[in-house]
Amino acid sequence: MNNKASKARAKLITMMKTYGTKSPKETGLKLVTMREEVKQTLKAGKSLDGDAVTPSQRKDLKKLLLHYRGEIDNLKNFNKTYREEKSKSE
């Protein structure tokens, strides 16, 4: 395995440990689910507990939404890099 594939694999493993999953696909599904929950909370204006969302919480939720989008993009990129580099080395 070359250096790029090794780095991408390490990043994927780190992400899987962070989100408590066993595969990149499962990690992606979990990230999408969490992102959808945040979107739903923002749209409804109420948290999952039924409390109203304050302006400061709304700001934090928007930041979280951007974070999840970035994580999903990173996951896609790392997985693509890992698969391409692994196939080149074989």
Side-chain angles (χ1 to χ4, degrees), residues 18-74:
T18 301
Y19 295 106
T21 58
K22 296 183 185 209
S23 71
K25 183 176 181 177
E26 190 179 342
T27 305
L29 291 173
K30 189 167 188 175
L31 283 167
V32 168
T33 302
M34 292 188 311
R35 189 182 81 195
E36 290 301 318
E37 287 175 1
V38 171
K39 276 185 179 179
Q40 188 176 26
T41 302
L42 281 170
K43 189 174 184 179
K46 292 187 177 185
S47 66
L48 297 175
D49 300 334
D51 301 333
V53 176
T54 64
S56 64
Q57 288 174 330
R58 181 175 289 278
K59 185 177 177 181
D60 291 340
L61 288 172
K62 286 183 179 182
K63 285 181 184 178
L64 198 56
L65 200 60
L66 290 173
H67 171 73
Y68 288 146
R69 184 186 314 159
E71 286 287 286
I72 291 169
D73 289 340
N74 286 339

Side-chain angles (χ1 to χ4, degrees), residues 6-22:
S6 180
K7 285 182 182 179
R9 182 175 181 265
K11 297 278 186 176
L12 286 171
I13 290 171
T14 302
M15 288 182 86
M16 289 186 291
K17 285 181 182 178
T18 301
Y19 295 106
T21 58
K22 296 183 185 209

